Amino acid sequence: MSTDQIINLLPYRSPFLFVDELAEVTDESAIGYYTYPEDAYFYEGHFKDYPVTPGVLLAETMAQIGLVCLGIHLLAQQLTNTDEAPAIALSSQAVDYFLPVYPGERVRVVSQKQYFRFKKLKCQVSMYNAKDELVCKGTMAGMLTTKLKT
């Protein structure tokens, strides 16, 4: 399955899609990019006169690239029926934050699979800014399955 096909199978759309590009997806890892638009709605109130990307959206970006995209790749073998789509639910996360991300910044997310068994995927996920500085990192897990398309 191509990286474009994986992105098309994501269950998100703008303004809640935080994946611009998948550079690589293997059975063990995923690498992807996202640029936070300077005019994104959430900067209006986070924070007054000093816009910073909310940590919850950094974690969401990490989950979409590092967990969901990798999960779709891993489920690809099961998606032989064209009436099926991936269904993924985040079950846990623990993220540490080190640097802010400002409007217009591009980030790189790197995910390394820890395990995938009994329909549960657990990954170590890190986010880096354009200067290759660590923005945040953590462990994320989710349950993966397929469902009939509606």
Side-chain angles (χ1 to χ4, degrees), residues 7 37 60 62 86 91 110 115 122 145:
I7 290 172
E60 179 65 26
M62 293 168 67
S91 61
V110 178
Y115 66 79
K122 185 174 182 182
T145 188

Side-chain angles (χ1 to χ4, degrees), residues 13-124:
R13 295 295 172 252
S14 182
F16 208 75
L17 175 63
F18 299 106
V19 182
D20 288 334
E21 172 192 351
L22 281 176
E24 177 183 315
V25 181
T26 70
D27 289 348
E28 300 298 321
S29 64
I31 300 171
Y33 296 89
Y34 183 71
T35 302
Y36 295 93
E38 290 186 30
D39 61 350
Y41 68 94
F42 47 82
Y43 290 125
E44 292 177 25
H46 196 266
F47 292 98
K48 183 180 175 183
D49 301 324
Y50 189 72
V52 176
T53 308
V56 68
L57 294 181
L58 298 179
E60 179 65 26
T61 305
M62 293 168 67
Q64 286 187 18
I65 294 171
L67 191 70
V68 181
C69 288
L70 180 55
I72 289 171
H73 170 79
L74 294 171
L75 285 174
Q77 298 86 355
Q78 297 177 25
L79 293 175
T80 55
N81 181 344
T82 58
D83 293 333
E84 290 184 320
I88 302 170
L90 184 67
S91 61
S92 66
Q93 69 175 10
V95 178
D96 293 317
Y97 301 89
F98 305 104
L99 294 173
V101 174
Y102 301 106
E105 276 197 79
R106 184 176 196 228
V107 295
R108 175 174 49 97
V109 174
V110 178
S111 175
Q112 186 67 42
K113 180 179 78 176
Q114 291 183 321
Y115 66 79
F116 178 44
R117 62 180 172 267
F118 305 114
K119 298 184 178 183
K120 184 171 183 174
L121 174 61
K122 185 174 182 182
C123 300
Q124 182 66 38

Side-chain angles (χ1 to χ4, degrees), residues 117-135:
R117 62 180 172 267
F118 305 114
K119 298 184 178 183
K120 184 171 183 174
L121 174 61
K122 185 174 182 182
C123 300
Q124 182 66 38
V125 186
S126 301
M127 178 183 284
Y128 300 87
N129 62 19
K131 296 178 187 175
D132 206 30
E133 299 168 319
L134 181 64
V135 170

